[in-house]
């Protein structure tokens, strides 16, 4: 009995968080001075972009969000990171790449058909039904 209550509460909290993230928590705008690089296209033909910070360096750092398209929080986090990095100089001498959403097809599917109370699985996979993990 306790396990069922715990599961119900967990599902309810996850659903409420998803509704908040999709309806009220908006994406940060990407500053105009940030270098945008098209790195490819999704299965359904949507562009996939990376954003570059710093000059060519021996040390390169890659941040990726939206590996599962229904994980809206990671995409918004990458937008915040891009916004933050775009307003600062790079004193560390490293090259940083940020891909806000790797699974753009899944993200579009999750936004169009939010599955708040069904476990949130819509959009997890790409258009070829592949989990990008």
């Amino acid at each position: 009995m306790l396990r069922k209550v715990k599961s119900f509460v967990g599902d309810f909290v996850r659903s409420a968080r998803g509704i908040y993230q999709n309806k009220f928590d908006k994406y940060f705008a990407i500053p105009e001075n940030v270098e945008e690089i098209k790195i490819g296209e999704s299965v359904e033909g949507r562009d996939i972009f990376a954003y570059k910070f710093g000059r060519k360096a021996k040390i390169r750092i890659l941040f990726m969000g939206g590996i599962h398209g229904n994980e809206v929080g990671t995409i918004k986090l990458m937008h915040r990171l891009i916004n933050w990095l775009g307003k600062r100089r790079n004193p560390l001498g490293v090259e940083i790449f940020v891909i806000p959403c790797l699974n753009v097809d899944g993200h579009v599917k999750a936004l169009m058909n939010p599955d708040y109370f069904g476990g949130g699985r819509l959009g997890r996979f790409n258009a070829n039904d592949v989990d990008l993990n």
Side-chain angles (χ1 to χ4, degrees), residues 55-61 90 92-97:
R55 297 181 182 184
K56 194 164 190 156
K58 289 183 181 181
I59 299 174
R60 294 184 178 135
I61 301 171
N90 186 351
L92 301 176
V94 297
E95 199 172 10
I96 300 172
F97 296 90

Side-chain angles (χ1 to χ4, degrees), residues 28-48:
F28 271 55
I30 295 173
E32 293 180 14
N33 64 329
V34 175
E35 183 179 348
E36 179 181 75
I37 305 166
K38 180 180 173 184
I39 60 171
E41 290 183 357
S42 69
V43 174
E44 295 179 347
R46 293 181 179 91
D47 293 337
I48 302 172

Side-chain angles (χ1 to χ4, degrees), residues 3 9 34 40 66-67 97 101 108 116-117:
R3 192 176 292 172
V9 170
V34 175
I67 293 172
F97 296 90
C101 185
V108 168
Y116 302 124
F117 299 101

Side-chain angles (χ1 to χ4, degrees), residues 108-119:
V108 168
K109 185 176 184 179
L111 290 178
M112 292 176 65
N113 305 300
D115 186 22
Y116 302 124
F117 299 101

Side-chain angles (χ1 to χ4, degrees), residues 9-25:
V9 170
D11 288 346
F12 180 79
V13 169
R14 190 178 315 106
S15 300
R17 186 179 303 129
I19 291 169
Y20 171 77
Q21 286 181 336
N22 287 341
K23 301 293 182 189
F24 304 109
D25 187 23

